[in-house]
Amino acid sequence: MRFGTSKIVSAVLLSMLSIAALQADDKPFHDAPATAKAQKNPFSGQQAAADAGKTLYARNCLACHGKTLQGTGNVPSLVDGKLKGVTAGEVFWFVTKGDKDNGMPSWAFLPEEKRWQIVTYVEEMASVKPAAGPTSAPVAEVTGTKVKGAPPVAPFTDFRYEKPGTTRKITVKDLPQPYATDSAQNGAELVARPQNAWPVAPAGFKVEMFAAGLENPRLLRTAPNGDIFLAESEPGRIRVFRGMASDGKPEQMQIFASGLKQPYGIAFYPPGPDPQWIYVGNTNEVIRFPYHNGDLKASGESQHIADLPSGGGHWTRAVDFSSDGKKMFVGVGSASNDDDVDTHPGEKDRADILVCDPANCQLKVYAYGIRNAGGGIAVNPQTGELWCSTNERDALGDNLVPDYITHVEEGGFYGWPWWYIGAHQDPRQQGKHPELKGKVIVPDVLLQPHNASLEFTFYGADKFPEEYKGDIFASEHGSWNKAMRVGYEVIRVPLHQTGHATGEYQDFLTGFVLPDGHVWGRPVGITVAPDGSLLVSDDGSNSIWRVSYVGK
């Protein structure tokens, strides 16, 4: 697999962060020798070197890691303490050595000075305290131009062809060979939403803005009494909305809890109309707060329930309970793209869905080989089955590996990192674990590769047309590892009033990417409001959108 210079730079930084966060207390960074740890940056503190590094970063890395180095989609942040404890010498050693297991060749052929300049710029940015409050995206330059390129070959698609109501189905036989295309670096550099840009839904549906001016809005959850809870992950807080005015906006808004560590998952316990607790999946632990219907602010301190493995490229921790309340499920994504679990102890209890008895939480593995279900797990209220939404691996080409939504079998193996989508071996893991080949479960619904599928919900209300009852709606955050963008939409998975999928899905809410390829919106969370509308959080425009049915 060949990489151009710009692809190498971004791949290096991505892999660097995935590994950096895996360090356990005092362990060498990616087994770097002591000589590397002791090596000093000859350009440290030199503004000219940092400025040169900034230019190199902008040219090669910005599209994926963003202007503030905080990452986009599955691309992790280079700041926010992610490289804490790692010396400049260790970083320089790592990018020089490379890591083929993560699809990153050695960077040694680049001039040593340039490598140090980018390290200097990353050091400088990592030392800057982030500004408080939400930041504004740059204004979109709407030129009327359209992205050019050959049309995709079905069943694969891209943003240019995503249209509400379009049905798609990807099957195992549709999968190409690994490396059929180069591994792309095409992350979303966000722009401000133009005045004439708005999400697009199927005919008969109306889209309104429910809330704006939020900060990194992520998972949404509807409380039994109808209040809407939102995780604002970067500022570390849970926000709650109450009521809905005639203009479709909330009547009240309150911070329920703050000072949390990248909160994401939210679940009420016990299940049913009268919960006593609200559970929160922080990136490093599950906690809970006392809760009674109607609480707009936590009435007591948080209680620690369970430690979770943390660090690496997947930090979200989804939480849900079985219908009878006897099981708590936690989705924990891998720390890396494709590291062999056998040789990377930092992957222990990752790429799994974990489970425990809420009365005495001792987490164990419920299902494994699921690269990242931390973005979305939920119990189907009709069947009682656990379902998950999964971000699959990258760097095998534009059309591998499909993300997926599926019911989850207890004890089930879903492939990562050695296999994928049935008996397909990852070429980076060639010859490993042949005994697992026949055990890999093929997911129910294969989605576009690199979609970055996150939260989903089962539509249990009766305000949409009858055929929507019980169906899944899922947020697709959008790709970075595909040459032509895909995702950046909400999809519908028909369950045919049976609670079971048959492989197809439909585009439902699109329009978050402009014709010229600029991105202004990225769906993350989704929930059903008490009035039967859908609420969709968007961490691109820092908004929540409301989708209601008004008839054809």
Side-chain angles (χ1 to χ4, degrees), residues 464-487:
F464 285 9
E466 180 63 26
E467 61 265 28
Y468 287 82
K469 188 68 177 279
D471 287 352
I472 289 172
F473 288 92
S475 289
E476 310 302 306
H477 200 223
S479 66
W480 68 268
N481 191 222
K482 185 166 182 172
M484 193 67 71
R485 303 193 196 290
V486 72

Side-chain angles (χ1 to χ4, degrees), residues 153-436:
V153 178
F156 303 105
T157 193
D158 62 58
F159 81 93
R160 299 171 298 170
Y161 298 89
E162 292 171 351
K163 183 179 179 181
T166 301
T167 299
R168 308 182 187 280
K169 185 173 183 178
I170 300 173
T171 67
V172 173
K173 66 180 178 61
D174 295 316
L175 303 186
Q177 291 296 311
Y179 309 126
T181 68
D182 287 340
S183 179
Q185 301 286 337
N186 185 30
E189 184 182 352
L190 291 168
V191 298
R193 180 179 61 83
Q195 288 187 344
N196 61 345
W198 205 257
V200 181
F205 288 87
K206 180 181 180 181
V207 183
E208 302 168 282
M209 185 175 284
F210 177 74
L214 303 170
E215 188 173 359
N216 193 225
R218 303 288 287 182
L219 182 137
L220 287 163
R221 187 74 78 189
T222 303
N225 75 326
D227 288 344
I228 306 296
F229 281 70
L230 168 72
E232 289 183 294
S233 299
E234 283 184 8
R237 61 181 175 239
I238 304 296
R239 188 185 293 269
V240 59
F241 302 92
R242 172 168 294 170
M244 193 174 295
S246 58
D247 62 358
K249 290 181 169 51
E251 294 176 334
Q252 289 180 264
M253 182 171 65
Q254 176 73 46
I255 301 299
F256 180 82
S258 59
L260 309 181
K261 187 169 182 179
Q262 291 181 291
Y264 185 83
I266 300 171
F268 297 91
Y269 182 81
D274 189 26
Q276 304 299 303
W277 303 94
I278 179 170
Y279 281 66
V280 176
N282 281 339
T283 193
N284 63 330
E285 63 177 339
V286 176
I287 61 174
R288 70 180 185 179
F289 292 94
Y291 174 80
H292 297 91
N293 282 326
D295 287 353
L296 290 173
K297 190 172 181 61
S299 59
E301 295 296 318
S302 66
Q303 298 180 9
H304 173 80
I305 301 300
D307 291 322
L308 298 175
S310 61
H314 297 126
W315 57 266
T316 55
R317 305 290 179 255
V319 180
D320 204 5
F321 292 95
S322 59
S323 300
D324 60 8
K326 294 181 179 180
K327 294 177 180 178
M328 180 180 76
F329 302 104
V330 184
V332 180
S334 68
S336 65
N337 180 42
D338 197 52
D339 281 347
D340 188 342
V341 177
D342 294 340
T343 56
H344 290 76
E347 293 290 359
K348 177 177 170 53
D349 291 334
R350 302 197 64 153
D352 298 329
I353 294 176
L354 306 177
V355 66
C356 74
D357 177 354
N360 180 27
C361 187
Q362 303 292 322
L363 287 169
K364 61 181 181 179
V365 175
Y366 182 81
Y368 66 114
I370 303 173
R371 181 173 176 261
N372 182 25
I377 60 173
V379 171
N380 186 335
Q382 183 175 353
T383 66
E385 293 176 317
L386 178 68
W387 285 64
C388 76
S389 168
T390 302
N391 296 180
E392 253 293 351
R393 70 206 79 184
D394 298 309
L396 292 179
D398 277 354
N399 294 322
L400 282 180
V401 173
D403 285 2
Y404 58 83
I405 292 175
T406 189
H407 82 284
V408 181
E409 297 183 18
E410 185 171 4
F413 174 57
Y414 290 81
W416 190 90
W418 306 289
W419 302 88
Y420 62 87
I421 316 298
H424 295 86
Q425 183 143 52
D426 189 313
R428 297 162 294 197
Q429 308 291 346
Q430 196 63 41
K432 298 178 181 178
H433 288 287
E435 77 283 3
L436 294 175

Side-chain angles (χ1 to χ4, degrees), residues 5 7 13 33 43 74 87 109-110 113 127 149 153 155 228 313 331 348 391 404 439 455 522:
T5 300
K7 292 179 181 178
L13 293 176
F43 299 97
N74 290 335
T87 70
F109 72 90
L110 286 177
E113 180 180 13
S127 68
V153 178
I228 306 296
K348 177 177 170 53
N391 296 180
Y404 58 83
K439 297 182 179 180
E455 192 185 4
R522 308 194 72 178

Side-chain angles (χ1 to χ4, degrees), residues 3-15:
F3 290 78
T5 300
S6 64
K7 292 179 181 178
I8 292 173
V9 174
S10 194
V12 167
L13 293 176
L14 169 59
S15 205

